[in-house]
């Protein structure tokens, strides 16, 4: 049997997932995607997923993976490009249930990483407390998330700033310092 | 659009064996597993070229994590050259050209059945534990749907009761390996059949652990710096195996988990279960340049 | 280096595999072709349990596994894992199946007629020992019927439905592309109808027989009558990207529908279908389907019990995994055992 070789897609998807996995496993640390939010879409989505995408161009690329484009209340993944869009999606995205917490959605949204209010994160993945500045988040984002979800229900946030990402899984507690 | 847009160039096998859609499903579930530590996430669990129960769950996670620069260590019962570990390692390099190692310090990715290495794992390492039965509630509730509801309700009373009954009957908790532990204060998980000796290594660790049961189609994770607390009563401390004072008859190592080897004369000899650590200790004794990393246990005591 | 010298795992597994393969000898295209021709029902069974319809690959798997069914099914399923999903075929409807055999035990005659088709049901099972003496066992030629039965046959349940005799199960309308697929999603309970039927379709024939038989003997609530048993060929209709439907080929299928009088006073139906021709499997599977509703948790006919325990790859794999070393867990139990003994001694008053 000949040794199989990775395709360029394989390499991009593995790199994107590696960045996402560590971003979620160590909330607050900054990781790098090969190019940007679209990498996450390609690494995660196919015809078995239901996706809300705010940006029409990204929506086209996502549709080409076979994923169903749906309204955010039915989506398991949402890709938002504006603060207002993210807030609107967060208000209705599925949060899963105590029985099936995995049905809580993943929301990918923009943020300014390294500028803005200073936040203190605690929880799994964090030794003590992790401090980080995050800007450009819609007002009341994290309050809305905690109001809607009772752990282990939840929505997992992936904040994207160009190629850089920060993960805020549902397990993490965030306070403004 | 033509038929060819639906297909792809023929290849006997994908890089990393799993096809792209299988990997995407694994990725989605692994992210959710990290987001809810210790909670069993159902996944489709594709068939792989090994029998179910032989590490197929761990293998699917490992295949999803493999990168071109991965360095992989595979152990079974602590040994790198155990037959099934050798078979899995050979398969991994056959489908990905991943570099192989026996040395815990060199590995980026460690797939293991029933052991956590004795050298401390670092923040850049991922441990993948093979899990035969992911359900800690199975002894009190064999029906998976009911057990799932019990997890949803954090209804662990019957599990406590079993431990309490053991205390009353035998004067101690009789659970051997696979000691149930509360993760992040919310979900009870089985840490897979690792000895009690190894469970504290998952608590507030620097590395990331995935646990995956291929046959039962469930995977779960323990992110770094996550609480993993064995179920114990406040007045009965958690007890690891009484191996702290045993000495490996081959390497002279002391204060590590041991294999007991029955001897002709009636007694027992002991050898370090972490086989490559044993090899390194022997090499060092022979004067070869060998690096043994910091250990979880020192002087037979677990060091947080 | 003492560890390496005494274990040598890599060499051992290599040689053990060679020993096995040497006993089977070379696998040639001729051997595979002969197996496919000589053992069509075994090939069918393997394809059904593997949920992959490819008689050549199934014959190859049988050749490679030396006839070990569980190994052959695993080989095919693992190969299936590496294959991309290109499209989803249209559902097969009963009345469109090209029917070779179709019988009902519920009525003496049925619309469309009883069609015996190929079967050994009424043959005397006598071993043709003359073959061992050098003679050839040549089957007698078939005399074609004066008026051949139509290739397509209506569904008996449709007649029963029209006569108000059957309780129609609740229907969930799903677009064909969205039908849940148990090879792409985990089986959870209560299972969707699609997941139940798919799991039965790829279940272990022997496992379904054992549990189905237990239901027939009285561990189930419902005694089955074979409403309709059908062997046939189904067209695999797929949609060309241009929109046109076309047949990508035909697959052999079996299906059974069993019935019993339900609590509502109407007939309940149980159903099972699979790739290939495998009557025992579909009758047993349909009997289990008939008994699933209302079965007590943990009973041998309850859906979770049946579907988890008849998965051929999972069941066989777990069974043989007990050959793997378990000395770490054993050591851990031993320690607890010794600890308990010490505690006992301590309690004895001096």
């Amino acid at each position: 049997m000949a040794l199989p070789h990775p395709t360029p897609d394989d390499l991009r998807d593995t790199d994107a997932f590696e960045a996402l996995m560590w971003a979620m496993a160590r909330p607050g640390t900054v990781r790098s995607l090969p190019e940007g939010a679209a990498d996450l879409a390609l690494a995660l989505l196919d015809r078995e997923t239901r996706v809300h995408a705010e940006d029409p161009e990204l929506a086209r690329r996502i549709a080409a993976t076979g994923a169903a484009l749906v309204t955010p209340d039915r989506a398991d993944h949402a890709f938002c490009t504006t603060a207002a869009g993210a807030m609107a999606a967060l208000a209705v995205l599925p949060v899963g249930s105590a029985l099936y917490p995995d049905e809580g959605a993943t929301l990918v949204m923009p943020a300014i990483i390294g500028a803005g209010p200073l936040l203190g994160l605690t929880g799994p993945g964090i030794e003590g407390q992790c401090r980080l500045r995050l800007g450009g988040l819609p007002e009341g984002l994290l309050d809305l998330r905690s109001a809607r979800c009772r752990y282990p229900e939840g929505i997992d946030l992936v904040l994207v700033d160009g190629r850089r990402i920060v993960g805020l899984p549902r397990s993490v507690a965030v306070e403004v310092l | 659009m033509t038929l060819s847009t639906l297909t792809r160039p023929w290849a006997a096998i994908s890089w990393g064996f799993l096809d792209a859609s299988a990997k995407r499903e694994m990725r989605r579930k692994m992210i959710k597993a990290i987001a809810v530590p210790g909670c069993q996430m159902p996944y489709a669990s594709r068939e792989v070229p090994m029998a179910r129960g032989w590490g197929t769950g761990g293998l699917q996670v490992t295949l999803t994590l493999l990168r071109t620069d991965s360095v992989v260590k595979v152990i079974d019962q602590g040994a790198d050259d155990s037959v099934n570990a050798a078979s899995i390692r050979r398969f991994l390099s056959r489908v990905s050209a991943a570099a192989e190692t026996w040395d815990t310090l060199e590995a980026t990715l460690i797939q293991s059945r029933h052991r956590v290495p004795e050298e401390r794992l670092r923040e850049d390492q991922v441990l993948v534990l093979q899990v035969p039965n992911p359900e800690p509630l199975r002894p009190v509730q064999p029906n998976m749907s009911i057990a799932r509801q019990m997890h949803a309700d954090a209804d662990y009373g019957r599990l406590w009761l079993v431990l309490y009954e053991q205390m009353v009957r035998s004067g101690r908790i009789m659970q051997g390996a696979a000691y149930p532990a509360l993760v992040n204060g919310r979900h009870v998980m089985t840490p897979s059949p690792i000895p009690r000796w190894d469970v504290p290594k998952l608590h507030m660790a620097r590395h990331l652990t995935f646990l995956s049961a291929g046959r039962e189609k469930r995977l779960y994770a323990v992110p770094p710096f996550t609480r993993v607390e064995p179920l114990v009563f406040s007045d009965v401390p958690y007890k690891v195996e009484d191996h702290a004072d045993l000495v490996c008859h081959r390497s002279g190592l002391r204060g590590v988990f041991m294999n007991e080897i029955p001897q002709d004369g009636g007694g027992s000899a002991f050898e370090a279960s972490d086989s490559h650590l044993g090899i390194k200790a022997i090499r060092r004794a022979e004067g070869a340049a060998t690096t043994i990393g910091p250990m979880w246990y020192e002087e037979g005591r677990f060091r947080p | 280096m003492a560890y390496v010298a005494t274990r040598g795992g890599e060499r051992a597994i290599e040689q053990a595999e060679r020993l096995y393969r040497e006993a089977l000898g070379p696998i040639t295209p001729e051997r595979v072709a002969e197996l496919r021709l000589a053992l069509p029902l075994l090939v069918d069974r393997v394809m059904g349990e593997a949920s992959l319809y490819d008689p050549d690959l199934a014959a190859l798997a049988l050749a490679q596994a030396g006839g070990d069914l569980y190994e052959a099914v695993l080989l095919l399923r693992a190969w299936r894992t590496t294959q991309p999903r290109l499209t989803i075929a249209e559902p097969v409807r009963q009345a469109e199946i090209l029917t070779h055999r179709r019988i009902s035990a519920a009525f003496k005659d049925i619309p469309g007629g009883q069609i015996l088709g190929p079967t050994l049901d009424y043959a005397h099972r006598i071993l043709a020992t003359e073959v061992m003496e050098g003679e050839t066992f040549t089957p007698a030629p078939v005399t074609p019927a004066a008026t051949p039965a139509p290739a397509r046959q209506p569904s008996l349940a449709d007649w029963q439905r029209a006569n108000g005799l059957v309780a129609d199960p609740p229907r969930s309308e799903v677009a064909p592309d969205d039908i849940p697929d148990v090879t792409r999603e985990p089986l959870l309970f209560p299972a969707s109808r699609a997941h139940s039927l798919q799991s039965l379709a790829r279940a272990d024939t022997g496992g379904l027989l054992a549990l189905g038989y237990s239901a027939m003997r009285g561990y189930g609530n419902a005694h089955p009558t074979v409403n309709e048993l059908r062997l046939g060929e189904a067209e695999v209709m797929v949609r060309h990207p241009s929109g046109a439907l076309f047949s990508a080929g035909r697959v052999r299928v079996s299906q059974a529908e069993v019935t019993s009088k339900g609590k509502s006073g109407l007939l309940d139906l149980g159903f099972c279908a699979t790739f290939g021709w495998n009557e025992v499997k579909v009758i047993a599977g349909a009997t289990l389907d008939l008994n699933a509703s209302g079965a007590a948790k943990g009973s041998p006919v309850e859906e979770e019990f049946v579907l988890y325990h008849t998965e051929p790859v999972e069941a066989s794999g777990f069974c043989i995994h007990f050959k793997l070393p378990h000395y770490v867990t054993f050591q851990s139990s031993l320690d607890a055992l010794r600890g308990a003994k010490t505690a006992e001694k301590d309690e004895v008053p001096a």
Side-chain angles (χ1 to χ4, degrees):
Chain A
M1 189 179 73
L3 196 65
H5 287 287
T7 64
D9 287 356
D10 286 331
L11 296 173
R12 182 203 58 224
D13 289 352
T14 336
D15 284 347
F17 176 64
E18 177 95 357
L20 176 64
M21 178 182 83
W22 286 118
M24 296 303 255
R26 296 181 199 286
T29 59
V30 183
R31 300 273 160 178
S32 287
L33 295 169
E35 284 175 30
D39 299 328
L40 293 175
L42 297 174
L44 296 175
L45 307 180
D46 51 32
R47 63 179 305 143
E48 281 139 51
T49 51
R50 292 189 303 271
V51 187
H52 162 68
E54 202 182 351
D55 173 60
E57 172 51 31
L58 185 58
R60 263 195 298 279
R61 289 185 72 182
I62 288 173
T65 67
L69 293 176
V70 297
T71 50
D73 58 314
R74 295 180 54 226
D76 43 53
H77 291 78
F79 286 77
C80 292
T81 29
T82 66
M87 197 66 179
L90 185 67
V92 295
L93 279 170
V95 299
S97 61
L99 213 49
Y100 293 107
D102 53 314
E103 289 171 2
T106 302
L107 170 58
V108 180
M109 59 179 287
I112 302 161
I113 295 171
L118 183 65
L119 305 179
L121 314 183
T122 48
I126 301 164
E127 185 177 20
Q129 190 191 47
C130 169
R131 286 161 178 246
L132 160 87
R133 287 192 185 279
L134 282 179
L137 296 181
E139 185 81 25
L141 177 86
L142 295 163
D143 289 340
L144 175 62
R145 178 168 78 160
S146 24
R148 283 202 63 210
C149 319
R150 192 163 156 237
Y151 186 85
E153 296 170 351
I155 293 168
D156 303 304
L157 303 179
V158 184
L159 309 179
V160 183
D161 183 356
R163 288 179 53 212
R164 297 188 302 156
I165 58 168
V166 165
L168 292 181
R170 68 188 79 178
S171 55
V172 81
V174 185
E175 64 175 315
V176 183
L177 299 176
Chain B
M1 204 182 181
T2 62
L3 270 186
S4 65
T5 59
L6 288 176
T7 185
R8 61 166 193 187
W10 189 85
I13 196 165
S14 304
W15 176 74
F17 184 78
L18 296 176
D19 81 319
S21 102
K23 279 187 197 157
R24 281 190 292 263
E25 193 223 0
M26 291 301 290
R27 291 184 192 122
R28 295 193 295 266
K29 294 296 185 173
M30 286 160 72
I31 292 301
K32 293 298 163 191
I34 288 171
V36 191
C39 177
Q40 299 168 48
M41 300 301 178
Y43 68 107
S45 190
R46 295 341 195 237
E47 280 85 2
V48 291
M50 267 161 231
R52 289 285 200 226
W54 294 61
T56 59
L59 188 63
Q60 290 176 78
V61 169
T62 302
L63 291 171
T64 304
L65 289 171
L66 271 183
R67 297 160 50 80
T68 47
D69 55 358
S70 294
V71 183
V72 185
K73 172 182 169 81
V74 184
I75 48 175
D76 188 337
Q77 316 290 297
D80 299 87
D81 64 340
S82 168
V83 281
N84 202 42
S87 153
I88 292 174
R89 196 169 46 242
R90 194 176 56 161
F91 178 73
L92 292 174
S93 60
R94 228 171 133 175
V95 298
S96 76
E100 301 177 17
T101 186
W102 286 17
D103 193 339
T104 301
L105 302 180
E106 286 175 5
T108 59
L109 191 51
I110 300 171
Q111 179 170 333
S112 169
R113 178 168 172 265
H114 298 185
R115 276 310 312 274
V116 179
E118 299 284 7
E119 290 165 286
R120 278 173 183 272
L121 297 182
R122 296 183 310 263
E123 58 196 9
D124 59 327
Q125 292 176 309
V126 182
L127 173 67
V128 181
L129 288 170
Q130 301 171 199
V131 181
N133 165 20
E135 184 48 80
L137 295 169
R138 190 73 48 91
V140 298
Q141 180 47 263
N143 186 288
M144 280 177 92
S145 314
I146 302 177
R148 186 151 204 100
Q149 186 65 52
M150 291 165 73
H151 284 289
D153 300 338
D155 172 10
Y156 298 123
R158 284 162 75 187
L159 208 50
W160 285 103
L161 190 62
V162 168
L163 298 176
Y164 177 74
E165 282 171 357
Q166 291 174 1
M167 288 286 313
V168 173
R169 224 176 277 141
S170 310
R172 62 165 286 162
I173 290 174
M174 292 301 288
Q175 180 80 30
Y179 197 99
L182 185 66
V183 183
N184 190 31
R186 176 57 180 83
H187 285 97
V188 170
M189 72 160 188
T190 165
S192 86
I194 56 175
R196 301 190 299 288
W197 183 269
D198 286 347
V199 180
K201 299 174 183 174
L202 303 180
H203 173 69
M204 298 305 273
R206 309 197 86 83
H207 70 280
L208 165 63
T209 305
F210 283 107
L211 302 101
S212 180
R215 185 178 50 83
E216 298 268 347
K217 303 180 165 66
R218 299 288 185 273
L219 70 84
Y220 46 109
V222 178
F225 300 110
T226 299
R227 283 179 291 137
V228 176
E229 297 154 313
L231 300 187
V232 282
F233 299 96
S234 51
D235 50 345
V236 185
Y238 180 70
K239 253 182 103 159
V240 303
E241 289 79 359
D242 197 6
H243 287 195
D245 298 321
L246 301 177
V247 180
C248 172
H249 77 112
R250 288 187 167 152
S251 64
L253 279 169
R254 179 191 283 274
V256 293
F257 188 79
M258 298 287 178
N259 299 328
E260 180 173 351
I261 317 288
Q263 300 295 297
D264 285 342
S268 295
F270 293 91
E271 63 170 29
S273 151
D274 184 333
S275 70
H276 195 66
L277 182 68
I279 292 173
K280 290 204 287 189
I282 293 170
R283 279 187 192 150
R284 191 164 65 177
E286 288 167 349
T290 311
T291 311
I292 292 181
M295 310 267 281
W296 303 100
Y297 283 79
E298 283 179 11
E299 316 272 311
R301 294 207 163 270
F302 186 81
R303 270 197 10 151
Chain C
M1 306 301 276
Y3 276 91
V4 192
T6 55
R7 290 194 176 140
E10 312 214 1
R11 190 177 168 272
I13 57 174
E14 167 96 39
Q15 295 302 319
E17 184 178 338
R18 286 189 189 187
L19 207 54
Y20 191 96
R21 297 204 190 284
E22 193 177 71
L24 292 178
I27 293 161
T28 59
E30 293 73 29
R31 182 187 285 196
V32 175
E34 177 60 22
L35 278 177
R36 183 186 161 169
L37 209 62
L39 304 170
L41 295 171
L42 192 63
V43 165
D44 275 4
R45 178 169 167 175
V46 169
M47 293 193 300
E49 295 181 13
S51 31
L52 180 82
Y53 197 93
D54 189 323
D56 290 321
L57 290 184
L60 173 62
L62 279 166
Q64 237 177 284
D68 182 324
L69 284 188
Y70 293 114
E71 282 294 332
V73 170
L74 174 56
L75 272 170
L76 276 186
R77 287 229 194 144
W79 186 82
R80 188 184 191 277
T81 297
T82 66
Q83 297 304 304
R85 162 146 314 187
L86 301 182
T87 186
I88 293 173
E90 294 292 303
V92 171
R93 298 186 190 283
Q94 281 200 63
E96 289 157 17
I97 292 175
L98 305 170
T99 303
H100 289 245
R101 168 165 161 79
R102 181 242 195 179
I103 53 167
S104 172
F107 296 95
K108 183 164 189 296
D109 205 359
I110 49 175
Q114 305 261 18
I115 302 162
L116 274 186
T119 180
L120 288 178
D121 279 353
Y122 307 100
H124 299 142
R125 276 69 162 200
I126 296 167
L127 209 53
T129 48
E130 66 272 21
V131 174
M132 307 313 291
E133 324 241 303
E135 288 180 38
T136 299
F137 178 85
T138 309
V142 177
T143 314
T147 48
R152 293 181 173 82
Q153 294 285 344
S155 151
L156 177 61
D158 280 350
W159 177 87
Q160 289 160 326
R161 227 169 257 126
N163 284 276
L165 292 173
V166 292
D168 250 341
R171 288 173 69 90
S172 51
E173 290 300 336
V174 194
D177 269 17
D178 295 335
I179 292 175
D181 179 348
V182 80
T183 69
R184 300 277 160 150
E185 305 149 352
L187 176 64
L188 301 170
F189 294 94
S192 67
R193 186 72 184 138
H195 278 181
S196 311
L197 292 178
Q198 290 160 5
S199 301
L200 287 175
R202 59 202 243 122
D204 180 34
T205 303
L208 283 190
L209 175 61
L211 295 181
Y213 178 52
S214 81
M216 296 166 191
R217 277 192 71 244
Y219 282 87
N221 306 315
H223 191 79
T225 298
V226 172
N227 207 38
E228 186 177 313
L229 171 73
R230 209 188 268 247
L231 302 184
E233 291 173 60
E235 302 274 10
V236 179
M237 301 300 290
V238 294
R239 199 170 285 282
H240 190 274
S242 69
L245 274 179
F246 69 100
S247 169
R250 285 181 193 165
V251 294
R252 299 218 296 181
V253 291
S254 331
Q255 60 160 56
E257 203 166 53
V258 300
T259 186
S260 72
K261 196 171 84 55
K263 288 202 182 78
S264 59
L266 294 171
L267 295 171
D268 285 342
L269 292 176
F271 183 78
C272 178
T274 190
F275 276 153
W277 289 357
N278 188 342
E279 297 187 4
V280 162
K281 176 170 176 173
V282 291
I283 296 171
T287 301
L288 288 165
D289 183 48
L290 178 70
N291 275 279
S293 83
K297 290 258 185 217
S299 100
V301 297
E302 187 229 350
E303 189 166 60
E304 177 171 331
F305 191 93
V306 170
L307 298 187
Y308 271 139
H309 296 131
T310 56
E311 216 312 309
V313 168
E314 286 160 20
S316 63
F318 199 56
C319 176
I320 61 173
H321 115 282
F322 286 103
K323 294 182 285 187
L324 284 175
H326 282 79
Y327 53 78
V328 166
T329 47
F330 187 74
Q331 193 71 58
S332 188
S333 306
L334 212 55
D335 172 85
L337 206 72
R338 284 172 176 151
K341 279 203 171 151
T342 317
E344 241 168 62
K345 259 188 242 152
D346 293 348
E347 276 166 31
V348 177

